[in-house]
Amino acid sequence: GQQLSEKVISALYSFFQDNDEDHLCRTYSANHILTQEGQANRFLWFIAKGEVVLRKQQDQQSLEVARMKAGSLVGGMSFVTGELAFTSAITTMKTAVIKLDKATFAKVLDSSNQLLPLFTNLLLRHFNRRLQKSIQTKLTLQTTLSSLDSAHQQLIEKEKMAVLGQLIAGVAHELNNPVAAIIRGSATIAKQLPPVLQHPLTAPPQHPH
């Protein structure tokens, strides 16, 4: 899991190395709010260093749902599904983040076909962990499940298209040589077939009864 996160983070940092005019790689001090429970969230936050606590209001008190360390995603569900943020995410210390909006997210994915499967994997893990945390903290599960389902479907569609594209390209490449060979072979056969067909077959030898 850690390796996967590190791969994504280093790929993101290398993507933003020369084109971070929007200052998406940021460092916040403690108590900075990334997402606010019940409000719209347009960003996917990658925690590169530091820690973020996720809190949820339940029965007039603020429950701690999880602590997200380096390599974690924050706001994934609301970002993918367009739902309101499920929890408030607040930094607990000096924290370095990569902040992605939809347009940047799309740009990043287009820039490298290796990132799409990595992202998908990371997001699905993130949703899975989020589901487990919800169960542990006895939070309302039905909304989590339905939004998980919709997020999963969206990701699968995107992943399917990317994988399909790669597959088609790969298959086309693999088929190229055999197809050329078959075409060459069939041309040879077509040339040789008429003379062969014109020769009458020799009569089988007669065996005495």
Side-chain angles (χ1 to χ4, degrees), residues 57-111:
Q57 287 294 323
Q58 188 108 326
D59 308 323
Q60 265 102 50
Q61 53 180 332
S62 173
L63 282 182
E64 182 176 313
V65 177
R67 284 186 178 253
M68 312 304 273
K69 309 271 186 203
S72 304
L73 286 173
V74 170
M77 187 72 74
S78 45
F79 176 79
V80 171
T81 63
E83 291 183 356
L84 299 177
F86 185 68
T87 54
S88 293
I90 305 139
T91 58
T92 63
M93 55 174 80
K94 192 175 175 187
T95 300
V97 303
I98 301 168
K99 176 184 178 183
L100 298 176
D101 59 16
K102 288 260 162 80
T104 318
F105 184 66
K107 252 189 259 171
V108 169
L109 289 192
D110 286 344
S111 77

Side-chain angles (χ1 to χ4, degrees), residues 92-139:
T92 63
M93 55 174 80
K94 192 175 175 187
T95 300
V97 303
I98 301 168
K99 176 184 178 183
L100 298 176
D101 59 16
K102 288 260 162 80
T104 318
F105 184 66
K107 252 189 259 171
V108 169
L109 289 192
D110 286 344
S111 77
S112 152
N113 58 359
Q114 282 144 1
L115 264 175
L116 183 67
L118 287 177
F119 256 110
T120 308
N121 198 339
L122 203 58
L123 277 167
L124 290 178
R125 273 188 196 189
H126 163 71
F127 293 155
N128 188 26
R129 274 206 297 271
R130 147 89 184 262
L131 185 59
Q132 286 167 349
K133 292 284 179 200
S134 302
I135 293 165
Q136 285 162 14
T137 43
K138 304 183 179 59
L139 299 171

Side-chain angles (χ1 to χ4, degrees), residues 138-155:
K138 304 183 179 59
L139 299 171
T140 325
L141 270 178
Q142 203 42 54
T143 52
T144 303
L145 284 167
S146 57
S147 50
L148 260 175
D149 194 46
S150 114
H152 195 172
Q153 285 313 316
Q154 289 186 44
L155 280 170

Side-chain angles (χ1 to χ4, degrees), residues 46-60:
F46 272 88
I47 311 305
K49 281 194 192 102
E51 183 190 61
V52 173
V53 65
L54 303 184
R55 307 192 72 84
K56 186 157 184 68
Q57 287 294 323
Q58 188 108 326
D59 308 323
Q60 265 102 50

Side-chain angles (χ1 to χ4, degrees), residues 116-117 120-121 154-164:
L116 183 67
T120 308
N121 198 339
Q154 289 186 44
L155 280 170
I156 283 174
E157 283 315 307
K158 220 173 166 169
E159 175 81 328
K160 260 195 222 154
M161 293 314 291
V163 169
L164 196 62

